[in-house]
Amino acid sequence: MSQSYRVADRGSVIDRTRPVTFTFNGKSVQGYHGDTAASALLANGQHLMGRSFKYHRPRGVVAAGSEEPNALLDVDRGQGRRDPNNRATMVEIFDGLELKSQNHFPSLERDVGIVNDKLAPMFAAGFYYKTFMWPQAAWKRLYEPVIRQAAGLGDAPKVPDPDRYVERHAHCDVLVVGLGPAGLSAALAAAKTGKRVMVCDEHPTPGGSLLHDATSTIGGQTADAWLSATLDDLDSRENVILLTRTTAFGYYNHNHVVLAERITDHLATPLENTPRERLWQVRAGQVVIAAGAHERPLVFSNNDRPGILLADAMRVYLNRYGVLPGRKAIIATAGASAYQTALDLKSVGVDVLIADLRLAEDCGPELAAAKTADIEVLSAHTVVSASGSKRVTALELAPLDETGVVGQPFSIACDCVGMSGGWTPAVHLFSQSRGKLRFDPELDAFVPGKSAQAEMSAGSCNGAYDLAGCLAEGSAAGRRAAGVLEAAAEDVSATPSFVGTLAVRVLPTSGDPNRARAFIDFQNDVTAKDIKLAVREGFESIEHVKRYTTTGMATDQGKTSNMNALGLVAGTLNTEIPSVGTTTFRLPFTPTSFGAFAGQNRGDLFDPIRTTPIHEWAVANGAKFEDVAQWKRAWYFPSGSETMRAAVDRECLAVRDRVGIFDASTLGKIEVVGRDAAEFLNRIYTNGFLKLSVGRCRYGLMLKEDGYLMDDGVVGRLAEDRFHVTTTTGGAPRVLAHMEDYLQTEWTDLDVYLTSTTEQWATIAVQGPKAREVISGLVEDMDLSPTAFPHMSLREGRIAGAPCRLFRMSFTGELGFEINVPSSFGRTVWEAIWQAGQPFGMTPYGTEAMHVLRAERGFIIVGQETDGTMTPSDVGLDGLVSKAKSDFVGKRSLMRPDVVAEGRKQLVGLVTENADFVLDEGAQIVAEPSTAIPTPMLGHVTSSYFSANRDTSIALAVIQDGRSRVGDRLYATTLKGFEPVTVTAPQFIDPEGRRVHA
């Protein structure tokens, strides 16, 4: 392709000394550094860039920015960096870039899918709902596979994304979104106050409309000179961060704005390890939104032909990229701004004609300027239809009289059309901030109304369409955002712009409007007829119309279609636009990659693996591992070819008979410190902690507000104002968040500080009758005698030379110690204990043996014996609920009628008549074997194991009125039927707990 549509003296953002070669559908294309895919293709006369979703109609570029609905390309940047549905207007070209059009077969020029266009009457709004209802049996077998095959645009990549994505948090005093005239003046005004300012713009080059403004002056300078000076000023300031290629796509509570920065998409060979995108999480004191406005298309028959662009997009391609959209242009407009496009095109020799829907007397200085430039203007003329297939060839126009009656149509040849139906402020971020919109009838648009956060809008997104107004609003907003409320306004005089638009939705036509193919949503092939049909069929809510017709649901999210759709719905209902309302402005503002959201949380980092300081010892000693939360935990330690069952049996027998060593480092640990630490724990747990002595421990239950068990653990008091709190492995972050929530929202008067210390301490459990003898020779400054160191006590001292917090506690029912040492000492101390334990037959045991041992004693695991609906009484722990405390979290809920009602499920033990039969966890418990449906279920098995110490299988279960059923014969479901079981107390070994006191 040759660049036959380039203009020599235009192109503010391209570098003609740096030619670029890329491919489009396998053909070589020439462009320049700074070109977008759209501008380079247009420069080579390529207007046809894709096919529409439903009808496969030929489509070309419509816009010049992120609002582009038509020109979506499959982009291959090399080395597996391929993704579909990129807007051609936002893709920066470089050498070797490969572009392909989408949604066609066998080729872009000859697409068999165009048959859908011939069958368009069958595909009217809601045809899915009307067509695929009968026969129902055909849905899964026939309809769904075909629809799924046809759904979507582009082909998803089939290989993993090779790029890196990163995330960064930032704080600033003022965040300015958009670097057009309003944004630049706001940023400069705020920066001059010394406040920390961040500014972002989605384009590679800041400037917005100034980049294609070849005629305006600002303060006596050309627009280009003012832009250059302003950017130099901002760049020179240390208090300013200026981000280009960065889209503000989400506005959350508390002025939290999220930005997506594209770092390497424009580079042929990015530096190794350079991230492709960076997600910025910005917390701003004040936000200035200067997001601009989107030009509206006109709605007329065949308004989707390639070569029909938005008028301002024509001006962008001409002045930014030096590209002619064609050589014979018609500007079809209902407003004044498009006249500047006509003037610019005329100045480079394009044959231009203006067809203005307005009467001549309603036009302002723009009409005189056009006549001075010798441009023919047809006032009071409407567009009836466009001709052409793969590119527009003619426009059919018709005169209007003062009453709006359409006269005799006539055709004028052209190779491009610029359409302008007015402007729509980009209020997306404002709406995401929960600000309230108001409808401005003079602008025929919704504009920002009442703000909900520390935000202000400025420029055309606020309804100021003239350059002077944008600059003035921006400067004032920047000063106010920086806290300067009464400063004198700066000189922001500028050449007036052409403003003023006639509100119009569907252009008047002489033909049957119901037969015209006038498109509202280009990408989804939604026509004006579809909108009217939806309203006629009862869909009066704009949200219902949106979903029934799919208007506004394309990748541009209605930026070019929504206002036309709203106006059409209002006109059809004979009501005003404000009563119709708007659809929801959901984030992201533009399509954002999954990679940006995921950041580095992918691959091995998707669910990071956490290992304890003793992990490598366990690996070296043949441990098999299981995943618990994010931790790798030793599951069991097979000896030779030992099976899991044999290994676990051996480990359990060793702990009961001799001594075992267990890595408990994964237990959650929280340091609770402060003058009111005891009072805080007294409120957060069900049992009392105010009188807990220093050096003593207490098992605590934690409830949610609904009275159900949330977590449990042992709390040790280190000093009057310091506690060591343990939690379950998986519950640690949840418990810490729960505690912080109450401290920060309910009990703000308490002097308490919480610190997660899970990874600061390695925890080694030594359990069994010989435990004291094993560690006695290793400890220093601690008396381990039963009298000096009773059960549920803690001491601080040293063990094997390392500082230590030693707890006497047990989760096995045996004499036990839990040794907490700084993580850096974990492996050394473990190996020292291991060596000291060899004369006593010490055995390492894993999580499976730990589960069996605790189940033998009837100890629960929160999350296994509980399901979010269990109370302390249900699991036999009502003795741990203080009757003396006036309040604690969940106390009132324990008195709810449903919580104290009879018939609740209660924790019991089960033994099978077949001693070797291990029940399935989750197996249902029934009173009698039955195949009836439904069969009444009494409860279910929560834990089930073979107990080598009892030489029989054991299980814990929650059963309706379980404690009253002890001794009863019930039945557990199995894969083959039912297994008889006997209900017992949940303690299978040493029910009195004598062994733990040794």
Side-chain angles (χ1 to χ4, degrees):
M1 296 182 184
S2 61
Q3 301 186 58
S4 58
Y5 287 87
R6 289 285 185 185
V7 180
D9 60 346
R10 300 291 173 95
S12 63
V13 300
I14 60 172
D15 184 350
R16 296 177 189 267
T17 66
R18 299 171 63 185
V20 172
T21 301
F22 65 101
T23 63
F24 176 67
N25 288 343
K27 297 180 180 178
S28 180
V29 184
Q30 301 297 314
Y32 294 112
H33 179 77
D35 261 325
T36 64
S39 65
L41 290 171
L42 289 176
N44 288 273
Q46 181 72 43
H47 278 260
L48 176 61
M49 297 186 193
R51 295 278 178 164
S52 66
F53 171 60
K54 187 161 63 173
Y55 298 137
H56 286 247
R57 287 168 67 92
R59 290 288 167 79
V61 68
V62 169
S66 61
E67 71 273 28
E68 172 58 37
N70 273 348
L72 302 181
L73 303 177
D74 186 292
V75 175
D76 190 337
R77 297 180 175 87
Q79 299 178 339
R81 300 165 63 224
R82 186 192 73 80
D83 51 271
N85 298 328
N86 287 264
R87 293 146 293 164
T89 54
M90 300 297 290
V91 175
E92 298 176 63
I93 64 169
F94 54 78
D95 282 319
L97 179 67
E98 296 181 11
L99 305 176
K100 294 180 182 178
S101 53
Q102 303 179 156
N103 203 43
H104 52 71
F105 178 82
S107 69
L108 175 61
E109 289 74 17
R110 294 176 178 83
D111 180 18
V112 297
I114 195 67
V115 68
N116 286 4
D117 198 37
K118 306 300 181 184
L119 303 174
M122 295 175 55
F123 300 134
F127 82 97
Y128 288 105
Y129 309 104
K130 302 168 185 174
T131 307
F132 303 110
M133 300 290 288
W134 182 90
Q136 286 189 344
W139 173 255
K140 284 287 185 185
R141 188 171 62 254
L142 176 62
Y143 300 148
E144 186 179 25
V146 173
I147 292 172
R148 288 192 180 279
Q149 183 67 29
L153 288 169
D155 296 322
K158 295 179 175 58
V159 297
D161 185 348
D163 287 310
R164 287 182 61 239
Y165 299 83
V166 296
E167 182 177 356
R168 182 170 179 178
H169 291 258
H171 295 77
C172 63
D173 297 313
V174 180
L175 171 66
V176 180
V177 178
L179 280 172
L184 285 167
S185 56
L188 187 59
K192 287 179 178 178
T193 68
K195 294 295 180 70
R196 294 175 300 165
V197 179
M198 287 186 68
V199 288
C200 67
D201 191 274
E202 64 183 353
H203 294 285
T205 307
S209 62
L210 299 179
L211 293 173
H212 57 272
D213 190 340
T215 58
S216 294
T217 59
I218 303 172
Q221 303 179 81
T222 65
D224 181 65
W226 183 88
L227 173 60
S228 179
T230 301
L231 290 176
D232 288 344
D233 193 334
L234 290 173
D235 278 338
S236 68
R237 296 180 182 271
E238 293 184 354
N239 61 321
V240 175
I241 297 176
L242 193 154
L243 302 172
T244 57
R245 298 185 178 92
T246 303
T247 303
F249 67 80
Y251 198 141
Y252 298 86
N253 289 340
H254 309 295
N255 268 21
H256 175 200
V257 183
V258 186
L259 323 175
E261 180 186 8
R262 303 178 302 280
I263 300 173
T264 63
D265 278 357
H266 62 293
L267 302 176
T269 54
L271 294 176
E272 188 176 359
N273 293 325
T274 302
R276 178 186 178 187
E277 295 182 16
R278 178 181 291 113
L279 189 77
W280 289 80
Q281 307 241 28
V282 181
R283 275 77 174 181
Q286 294 280 333
V287 176
V288 177
I289 302 175
H294 303 298
E295 195 168 21
R296 295 179 206 161
L298 291 172
V299 183
F300 55 88
S301 182
N302 292 330
N303 61 334
D304 64 327
R305 293 307 185 194
I308 301 179
L309 291 74
L310 295 170
D312 199 62
M314 283 186 162
R315 194 175 173 212
V316 168
Y317 289 119
L318 173 63
N319 293 329
R320 290 193 193 183
Y321 304 104
V323 174
L324 294 176
R327 303 193 188 283
K328 186 173 179 58
I330 297 177
I331 305 300
T333 183
S337 63
Y339 277 71
Q340 190 59 59
T341 297
L343 292 170
D344 286 358
L345 290 173
K346 183 69 174 180
S347 69
V348 293
V350 176
D351 185 358
V352 184
L353 178 143
I354 298 175
D356 196 334
L357 193 67
R358 302 173 301 169
L359 300 173
E361 52 266 33
D362 294 331
C363 298
E366 67 272 13
L367 181 58
K371 290 182 177 179
T372 300
D374 198 24
I375 297 174
E376 182 180 359
V377 179
L378 301 178
S379 300
H381 275 67
T382 184
V383 181
V384 176
S385 180
S387 301
S389 175
K390 296 172 182 141
R391 183 168 177 178
V392 64
T393 56
L395 209 58
E396 190 175 19
L397 306 174
L400 298 170
D401 64 18
E402 294 183 357
T403 64
V405 175
V406 180
Q408 184 64 34
F410 59 93
S411 182
I412 297 181
C414 62
D415 61 359
C416 63
V417 174
M419 54 181 173
S420 178
W423 293 86
T424 302
V427 295
H428 304 68
L429 287 178
F430 174 82
S431 295
Q432 290 174 18
S433 75
R434 295 176 292 109
K436 300 299 182 183
L437 298 174
R438 64 178 179 85
F439 186 75
D440 188 329
E442 291 188 8
L443 296 177
D444 185 42
F446 286 95
V447 295
K450 184 178 180 180
S451 295
Q453 300 195 49
E455 164 279 331
M456 57 197 76
S457 297
S460 54
C461 72
N462 197 41
Y465 294 154
D466 66 299
L467 179 57
C470 288
L471 293 167
E473 280 198 5
S475 181
R479 290 196 307 276
R480 290 200 305 273
V484 182
L485 304 181
E486 299 180 357
E490 297 179 36
D491 178 17
V492 290
S493 60
T495 302
S497 307
F498 294 148
V499 295
T501 301
L502 177 66
V504 59
R505 304 303 165 203
V506 179
L507 291 181
T509 180
S510 57
D512 182 355
N514 291 322
R515 295 181 62 85
R517 306 288 297 285
F519 288 88
I520 299 285
D521 187 301
F522 292 106
Q523 190 178 122
N524 283 344
D525 283 330
V526 180
T527 65
K529 184 169 65 174
D530 291 325
I531 302 291
K532 293 177 181 177
L533 176 63
V535 175
R536 194 163 64 246
E537 294 187 353
F539 295 94
E540 297 185 0
S541 163
I542 190 60
E543 293 285 9
H544 292 162
V545 171
K546 173 181 177 178
R547 284 152 182 80
Y548 193 62
T549 64
T550 70
T551 188
M553 294 175 67
T555 52
D556 73 325
Q557 287 291 286
K559 293 180 179 65
T560 57
S561 61
N562 273 357
M563 278 308 299
N564 284 335
L566 290 175
L568 192 52
V569 170
T572 307
L573 292 172
N574 196 26
T575 187
E576 299 297 324
I577 287 182
S579 65
V580 175
T582 65
T583 55
T584 304
F585 294 90
R586 292 185 177 88
L587 56 87
F589 174 70
T590 56
T592 305
S593 70
F594 287 122
F597 290 119
Q600 299 193 75
N601 300 318
R602 49 183 287 201
D604 290 340
L605 297 178
F606 175 71
D607 193 16
I609 296 172
R610 302 171 74 180
T611 59
T612 73
I614 298 125
H615 177 80
E616 294 304 325
W617 186 94
V619 171
N621 284 269
K624 302 296 182 184
F625 292 89
E626 69 169 337
D627 296 325
V628 180
Q630 291 179 328
W631 293 94
K632 288 289 184 185
R633 300 198 71 179
W635 194 8
Y636 60 98
F637 289 82
S639 176
S641 59
E642 209 172 26
T643 64
M644 177 178 174
R645 165 78 175 269
V648 172
D649 288 352
R650 175 177 50 78
E651 292 170 12
C652 290
L653 290 169
V655 173
R656 295 274 180 232
D657 295 340
R658 302 184 304 276
V659 64
I661 185 170
F662 175 72
D663 183 3
S665 303
T666 64
L667 287 175
K669 294 174 276 287
I670 302 170
E671 198 95 346
V672 181
V673 181
R675 183 184 63 246
D676 300 314
E679 174 64 25
F680 170 70
L681 294 174
N682 203 53
R683 297 181 187 182
I684 210 83
Y685 285 101
T686 63
N687 38 347
F689 283 89
L690 290 176
K691 297 181 180 179
L692 182 67
S693 302
V694 174
R696 296 291 290 175
C697 306
R698 183 161 292 162
Y699 175 68
L701 288 181
M702 183 178 294
L703 306 184
K704 298 180 292 183
E705 291 179 348
D706 55 15
Y708 297 136
L709 279 167
M710 175 183 178
D711 204 83
D712 65 348
V714 173
V715 178
R717 192 163 195 169
L718 300 166
E720 289 296 327
D721 62 348
R722 183 178 297 270
F723 292 81
H724 180 112
V725 176
T726 64
T727 74
T728 57
T729 293
R734 180 175 65 249
V735 169
L736 182 61
H738 178 69
M739 289 180 166
E740 284 285 9
D741 182 34
Y742 272 89
L743 271 182
Q744 295 182 30
T745 63
E746 303 296 330
W747 306 327
T748 56
D749 58 314
L750 295 185
D751 178 20
V752 178
Y753 300 91
L754 307 175
T755 305
S756 173
T757 58
T758 299
E759 294 188 344
Q760 274 61 53
W761 296 101
T763 304
I764 304 166
V766 180
Q767 304 279 307
K770 304 294 184 180
R772 183 183 290 110
E773 297 173 68
V774 170
I775 67 171
S776 61
L778 299 174
V779 300
E780 305 171 28
D781 306 323
M782 288 182 282
D783 183 352
L784 300 186
S785 66
T787 303
F789 200 169
H791 182 57
M792 296 301 283
S793 299
L794 73 89
R795 301 289 183 267
E796 292 187 276
R798 303 184 73 83
I799 185 168
C804 162
R805 288 179 180 175
L806 182 61
F807 290 72
R808 184 178 166 190
M809 54 189 285
S810 173
F811 196 46
T812 63
E814 299 295 331
L815 169 66
F817 296 89
E818 288 193 2
I819 302 157
N820 290 271
V821 296
S823 294
S824 58
F825 290 93
R827 173 106 182 236
T828 301
V829 173
W830 173 281
E831 290 179 340
I833 296 172
W834 174 248
Q835 290 299 322
Q838 293 311 295
F840 302 96
M842 174 174 272
T843 298
Y845 66 100
T847 55
E848 189 67 15
M850 177 269 291
H851 279 284
V852 177
L853 293 165
R854 64 90 194 173
E856 290 174 342
R857 277 288 292 122
F859 296 154
I860 71 165
I861 291 181
V862 174
Q864 186 155 337
E865 272 61 59
T866 68
D867 60 0
T869 65
M870 306 298 288
T871 68
S873 178
D874 295 337
V875 294
L877 297 177
D878 41 353
L880 294 178
V881 179
S882 173
K883 305 296 190 296
K885 290 200 298 185
S886 61
D887 201 8
F888 55 82
V889 175
K891 179 180 175 65
R892 282 169 289 179
S893 294
L894 292 179
M895 296 180 284
R896 294 198 328 255
D898 61 307
V899 169
V900 298
E902 294 184 0
R904 288 187 62 84
K905 293 178 181 179
Q906 298 170 337
L907 182 70
V908 294
L910 298 177
V911 292
T912 57
E913 293 186 2
N914 178 354
D916 288 327
F917 191 90
V918 178
L919 299 174
D920 292 330
E921 293 183 351
Q924 295 295 309
I925 306 300
V926 298
E928 296 290 342
S930 174
T931 57
I933 298 175
T935 297
M937 304 292 178
L938 300 177
H940 68 278
V941 175
T942 60
S943 299
S944 181
Y945 313 97
F946 182 82
S947 169
N949 289 291
R950 283 197 43 160
D951 197 26
T952 184
S953 71
I954 62 171
L956 298 176
V958 287
I959 296 177
Q960 183 179 342
D961 292 320
R963 287 191 283 271
S964 67
R965 296 178 185 269
V966 171
D968 289 358
R969 190 178 199 240
L970 300 176
Y971 295 85
T973 59
T974 70
L975 293 177
K976 296 182 179 180
F978 297 88
E979 177 69 20
V981 297
T982 301
V983 181
T984 70
Q987 295 82 23
F988 299 96
I989 287 179
D990 188 27
E992 296 84 10
R994 293 192 180 97
R995 297 172 67 98
V996 77
H997 295 287

